[in-house]
Amino acid sequence: MGAVRPASTRDLLDGGRSVSLERCDGGWFEAERSDLEPGDRRHLFDLDGEVEPHRLALSAGGRPRPVRGGRPPVRLDGLEWRNRPLREHVIYELHVGTFTGAGTFDGVIEAIPHLVELGVTAIELMPVAQFPGRHNWGYDGVDLYAVQNSYGGPEGLARLVDSCHRSGLAVFLDVVYNHLGPEGNYLRQFGPYFTDRYRTPWGEAVNLDGPGSDQVRSFFAHNALMWTDQFHLDGLRLDAVHAMFDHSASPFLAELADAVHTMAEEQGRRVHLIAESSSNDPRLVRGRDAGGYGLDGAWNDDFHHALHVALADR
């Protein structure tokens, strides 16, 4: 958990208990607990001595309630699985909330035989980080370390991933690191996560190259590692990277690719990173030794636009 805040910041647990967080290097605060079990609600914060029980948590796990609640820790187990090379994949993008009548991860599990029959090799889930409401496109998520509770939470996502792997399907996830949604977004109160030096279509940009950005970059990089390590996802689709403004000497996308690929290599896995970008910049997929970012693929919006014109005649 982390925040660039005064030392009075505390971690509030259910039942009125509280634990003081110790200040660490880089503006982080931490506390260790040995008495928490899966299902315990935790990580509500008191910032600067003012109790704010709806604050977001900054560490991994699931949420028992929507975006103003606490979050339980969770333990996940997965299967041995070997992902295909990206060039061999046929990816089916789906929205968990509307793909089946159930609108849940378990509903998607029931449809796996249909997906296999179609001939796809991977499903790509639209964003499932906690967002306001029950059903949502997912692109205004506000709690990146939590899995949408109305879809089935972290346990539901783990069941879906394992079920897909048993049926020979890989699972990709769309993640949004260029902005957070407006409702329930308290992240800026924990540290310099946003900057007004750049503007995006959604407002302030994420701070990837300004003061305090080292820990901001770590926050997002570790989120990618959570999805791919803890939930055993086989790849991430990075939303609108052209809106991730970064003029640092060490590009964040390159650091993200290094972190995820290193983790995958150490585990004997293959994890793919695909960037959505309107810039058609070849650096996205060039190797690190050639001055590129080392991502595995780029989402080609040009094809989408051309297909839309061809089919809709406008």
Side-chain angles (χ1 to χ4, degrees):
M1 65 193 75
V4 183
R5 304 294 295 178
S8 61
T9 303
R10 294 184 300 167
D11 184 7
L12 302 184
L13 307 180
D14 280 324
R17 295 175 296 157
S18 66
V19 173
S20 296
L21 300 177
E22 295 184 5
R23 181 187 291 271
C24 305
D25 293 339
W28 290 86
F29 294 81
E30 70 176 14
E32 294 187 7
R33 300 282 303 205
S34 60
D35 58 344
L36 295 176
E37 297 293 336
D40 286 349
R41 294 174 181 174
R42 60 173 178 146
H43 295 332
L44 303 180
F45 286 87
D46 171 4
L47 299 181
D48 303 331
E50 179 180 356
V51 176
E52 297 284 359
H54 58 273
R55 298 296 186 196
L56 294 181
L58 301 185
S59 62
R63 294 176 70 90
R65 302 186 292 272
V67 296
R68 289 184 174 85
R71 173 182 314 150
V74 63
R75 297 191 183 111
L76 300 171
D77 297 310
L79 303 171
E80 292 294 330
W81 165 255
R82 184 63 175 170
N83 192 10
R84 296 169 181 252
L86 186 57
R87 64 180 179 275
E88 297 180 6
H89 272 305
V90 178
I91 302 174
Y92 186 106
E93 182 183 25
L94 66 86
H95 179 258
V96 174
T98 57
F99 183 67
T100 68
T104 63
F105 296 123
D106 288 338
V108 178
I109 290 174
E110 295 180 2
I112 286 177
H114 168 68
L115 293 166
V116 172
E117 185 179 0
L118 281 178
V120 304
T121 64
I123 61 172
E124 179 193 315
L125 307 177
M126 295 174 71
V128 301
Q130 188 75 35
F131 51 71
R134 177 173 176 79
H135 295 129
N136 186 297
W137 281 112
Y139 293 95
D140 59 354
V142 292
D143 199 343
L144 301 188
Y145 281 83
V147 183
Q148 179 64 19
N149 64 307
S150 61
Y151 288 171
E155 294 87 355
L157 177 58
R159 286 193 300 271
L160 173 58
V161 173
D162 284 353
S163 297
C164 284
H165 287 172
R166 289 190 184 100
S167 298
L169 294 180
V171 184
F172 290 66
L173 176 65
D174 196 342
V175 294
V176 183
Y177 295 153
N178 52 63
H179 75 288
L180 273 73
E183 182 180 348
N185 176 12
Y186 304 105
L187 193 58
R188 62 174 39 85
Q189 298 182 38
F190 286 87
Y193 288 90
F194 302 94
T195 176
D196 58 6
R197 295 188 300 121
Y198 311 110
R199 301 294 295 179
T200 77
W202 311 283
E204 289 182 322
V206 172
N207 176 26
L208 296 175
D209 62 1
S213 61
D214 286 350
Q215 304 306 329
V216 176
R217 292 158 69 110
S218 177
F219 174 81
F220 286 97
H222 279 86
N223 182 254
L225 289 171
M226 181 197 76
W227 295 118
T228 54
D229 182 8
Q230 184 175 355
F231 288 95
H232 308 138
L233 289 168
D234 304 297
L236 301 176
R237 183 256 195 189
L238 308 174
D239 181 70
V241 299
H242 53 268
M244 297 171 63
F245 298 98
D246 178 11
H247 295 95
S248 64
S250 178
F252 168 71
L253 288 175
E255 290 187 359
L256 175 65
D258 286 346
V260 172
H261 289 151
T262 297
M263 177 275 298
E265 183 177 356
E266 290 174 349
Q267 297 180 1
R269 299 172 54 202
R270 182 183 288 121
V271 177
H272 304 305
L273 298 174
I274 305 172
E276 181 205 17
S277 175
S278 63
S279 66
N280 291 331
D281 190 341
R283 288 182 300 174
L284 292 170
V285 294
R286 282 181 182 154
R288 299 284 276 122
D289 56 352
Y293 298 161
L295 300 174
D296 301 289
W299 183 283
N300 190 340
D301 278 344
D302 289 348
F303 175 78
H304 164 270
H305 299 326
L307 189 63
H308 184 276
V309 171
L311 294 179
D313 194 29
R314 59 183 173 86

